[in-house]
Amino acid sequence: MSKELINAFEMLQEEKNISKDIIIEAVESALTFAYKRNYDQAQNVEVAFDDKRGEFKVFAVKEVVDTVMDSNLEVSLEDALEIHRAYEIGDKIRFEVTPGDFGRIAAQTAKQVITQRLREAERANIYEEFVDYEDDLVPGFVERQDRRFIYVSLGRIEAVLNREGQIPGETFQQHDRLLVYVERVENTTKGPQIYVSRTHPNMIKRLFEQEVPEIYDGTVEIKAIAREAGDRSKIAVYSNDPNIDPVGTSVGPRGSRVQAVVNELHGENMDIIEWSEDPAEFISHALNPADVLSTHFIPGEKATVVVVPDNHLSLAIGKRGQNARLAAKLTGYKIDIKSESEWAEYQDSDEYNERFNSVDLLADTDDVEEVADTDVPMMAEAPLAEEAPTVDEENLSPDAIEAAIGEKEMTSAGEAEADYDTLVEEEDLAESELNEPGELSESEMEQRLDESEIPE
């Protein structure tokens, strides 16, 4: 019987992939529980297993004390010294209390506990195994399906493929092979739950890693993925080696590498573009196959207006807006596409002034709310400077100087002040010439003043 027990443990280890030590620990725990329950024992009990003989023994653990208060838990020092002279107070002594038979109830209890422990160990083992496959691809077979789920057999466990993870139009029959992306692994009370998907964008990344060695080793990176599962995907790639073309490497000779990915996804179209640090260049690549003439970023927003030739407008937008939608997902920008003629008209609209100029004007103003309430034109231009009127410097008075300054279109306060000082100096000079002593008589001065028509 003992040999059969050891063989049973080894068989469980092979079939359930559970360590024999875990099985023995479960049996020991089960026998301990059964002993306490069926023999009403509250003392500390240990069960030891001899894996050579295949025998279990039950021991009651008692502490050595001076005065025994509970014989089930304690033993006197005098009795302990009779067993061995080395025992001291505080030592633990194991006394074998293995019953002749546990009885039917004890055996049944042990069986239930062993079964529970084995189930828990198997669940933990499966969880630890598959949690390493999270964010990776695993092969499986269709086990069964209903209206909501496809149940995929992954060998030791069954994964759930929900409706959101199923590619539209894709059908499977029982026992069909399929490759799934492990989205997450959860350890629930009912055991490990594995949720898989075929629509997750990272599935494309893992497929390219399998087909393109340069992507697997990191020479070529997949920077971004935008996907509408079952129809079309856009992939932005970048090469860390300037001598390697990331797009050509991903496509492969005669498209063999990308075709393998397309075949696995049952005909899903793949657009592979080159990633760029320059947002304008990246957006231009993302809108392939349409040509982009110019890109205009809206201040204060992660949005842009892209201008394309008139005959490329429908190509840039794509069927049902798919090309523009995928480009926006890929770049992270909100993209407004306009034809060249539409852009020319749009530049004269109020919406253009509001979107492209209002933010710049407010950014230079301390009080944003005050400026927003005023009726200041957003595209205001400085008036052209008119030609300054000629001034007869000899006939200037202070009032005439102020009038002349007021008529001039001064562009800065510094220039106005300089002109004023010049005019004052010139008038002072004229007055000094009129009043210079020794040159004019009083009658001549009065006559000169009358002729100059200087007002009083």
Side-chain angles (χ1 to χ4, degrees):
M1 180 177 179
S2 59
K3 190 174 182 179
E4 293 177 354
L5 187 61
I6 295 176
N7 291 336
F9 289 162
E10 293 177 352
M11 187 179 298
L12 285 172
Q13 182 174 3
E14 293 178 2
E15 292 182 356
K16 302 294 184 180
N17 195 25
I18 301 173
S19 171
K20 185 171 68 174
D21 295 335
I22 296 177
I23 299 174
I24 294 174
E25 182 184 351
V27 174
E28 291 175 349
S29 177
L31 291 177
T32 302
F33 178 80
Y35 179 84
K36 290 181 178 181
R37 177 176 178 180
N38 289 278
Y39 293 91
D40 297 327
Q41 297 296 325
Q43 70 267 32
N44 295 330
V45 176
E46 291 182 358
V47 176
F49 176 71
D50 185 352
D51 57 353
K52 294 182 179 180
R53 295 183 178 182
E55 296 178 352
F56 286 96
K57 292 185 178 181
V58 182
F59 296 92
V61 182
K62 297 182 180 182
E63 184 179 358
V64 179
V65 295
D66 281 332
T67 304
V68 177
M69 304 296 295
D70 187 345
S71 59
N72 292 327
L73 302 176
E74 300 170 339
V75 62
S76 65
L77 178 61
E78 183 180 352
D79 294 339
L81 291 175
E82 291 180 359
I83 300 172
H84 198 284
R85 296 177 60 183
Y87 281 123
E88 298 178 352
I89 294 176
D91 289 344
K92 304 288 185 180
I93 302 177
R94 300 200 311 170
F95 296 91
E96 184 178 352
V97 292
T98 306
D101 59 328
F102 274 101
R104 183 179 59 84
I105 298 177
Q108 185 176 0
T109 303
K111 181 180 178 181
Q112 293 175 352
V113 175
I114 290 173
T115 303
Q116 178 64 24
R117 289 294 300 271
L118 290 176
R119 186 182 297 113
E120 292 175 358
E122 185 177 9
R123 288 176 176 177
N125 187 271
I126 292 175
Y127 174 77
E128 291 176 2
E129 177 185 348
F130 281 92
V131 76
D132 294 334
Y133 287 101
E134 203 169 52
D135 190 32
D136 206 347
L137 297 178
V138 293
F141 296 90
V142 176
E143 187 73 22
R144 55 193 173 89
Q145 55 184 316
D146 54 28
R147 293 182 178 180
R148 297 175 57 196
F149 304 111
I150 296 177
Y151 299 92
V152 182
S153 174
L154 302 180
R156 300 175 57 198
I157 194 171
E158 193 175 72
V160 177
L161 179 62
N162 58 24
R163 182 164 294 179
E164 290 74 16
Q166 300 173 25
I167 296 177
E170 198 173 52
T171 58
F172 294 99
Q173 301 298 325
Q174 192 173 9
H175 303 304
D176 281 353
R177 172 206 167 274
L178 74 165
L179 201 62
V180 292
Y181 171 80
V182 180
E183 200 167 355
R184 67 184 189 276
V185 180
E186 297 179 357
N187 198 8
T188 66
T189 55
K190 296 182 179 180
Q193 293 289 328
I194 301 178
Y195 299 90
V196 296
S197 172
R198 284 180 59 83
T199 60
H200 200 283
N202 280 353
M203 183 173 184
I204 293 180
K205 183 177 181 181
R206 298 303 177 209
L207 287 172
F208 272 101
E209 287 176 349
Q210 290 183 355
E211 300 296 332
V212 184
E214 290 82 358
I215 293 180
Y216 182 79
D217 63 21
T219 305
V220 175
E221 295 182 42
I222 296 180
K223 289 288 191 177
I225 299 173
R227 185 183 184 195
E228 292 188 358
D231 193 356
R232 188 178 181 185
S233 296
K234 283 182 179 286
I235 303 101
V237 293
Y238 172 77
S239 175
N240 294 308
D241 187 342
N243 298 321
I244 295 179
D245 175 20
V247 176
T249 301
S250 302
V251 172
R254 298 184 180 180
S256 58
R257 292 175 173 177
V258 70
Q259 190 60 44
V261 176
V262 171
N263 292 339
E264 177 60 40
L265 299 176
H266 295 171
E268 184 173 322
N269 295 318
M270 297 286 157
D271 291 347
I272 303 177
I273 68 167
E274 186 174 358
W275 180 84
S276 175
E277 292 184 355
D278 182 7
E281 185 178 0
F282 185 27
I283 291 171
S284 177
H285 292 168
L287 286 172
N288 281 345
D291 294 334
V292 175
L293 298 177
S294 59
T295 304
H296 306 270
F297 293 94
I298 300 174
E301 301 179 29
K302 197 167 184 180
T304 181
V305 177
V306 175
V307 182
V308 299
D310 291 350
N311 59 344
H312 278 213
L313 180 60
S314 59
L315 189 64
I317 296 174
K319 187 178 180 180
R320 298 186 302 275
Q322 186 183 67
N323 192 58
R325 188 165 56 248
L326 288 174
K329 289 181 182 179
L330 191 71
T331 61
Y333 279 83
K334 183 179 179 181
I335 301 176
D336 184 9
I337 303 175
K338 294 186 180 298
S339 66
E340 192 173 8
S341 57
E342 288 176 342
W343 174 249
E345 297 177 0
Y346 181 69
Q347 287 180 295
D348 297 330
S349 66
D350 294 336
E351 182 182 355
Y352 174 86
N353 292 333
E354 181 180 353
R355 298 180 73 183
F356 286 91
N357 300 309
S358 59
V359 175
D360 293 338
L361 179 62
L362 296 178
D364 297 334
T365 308
D366 294 333
D367 192 352
V368 175
E369 294 182 357
E370 182 178 349
V371 174
D373 294 336
T374 58
D375 295 328
V376 179
M378 309 308 291
M379 292 290 291
E381 297 181 356
L384 296 176
E386 297 179 359
E387 185 178 355
T390 57
V391 180
D392 186 2
E393 296 177 353
E394 294 182 354
N395 297 324
L396 288 178
S397 65
D399 293 337
I401 293 172
E402 292 179 2
I405 294 175
E407 291 175 357
K408 286 189 176 182
E409 294 291 336
M410 298 300 178
T411 57
S412 65
E415 293 177 352
E417 184 177 357
D419 291 343
Y420 178 82
D421 294 339
T422 302
L423 294 174
V424 170
E425 291 176 0
E426 291 177 352
E427 184 175 12
D428 290 341
L429 179 60
E431 291 180 357
S432 64
E433 291 178 352
L434 290 175
N435 296 314
E436 187 174 354
E439 293 185 1
L440 298 175
S441 62
E442 292 183 1
S443 60
E444 290 176 340
M445 289 179 61
E446 291 177 359
Q447 183 179 359
R448 179 72 60 85
L449 289 174
D450 291 338
E451 293 174 354
S452 63
E453 297 180 357
I454 298 176
E456 296 181 356

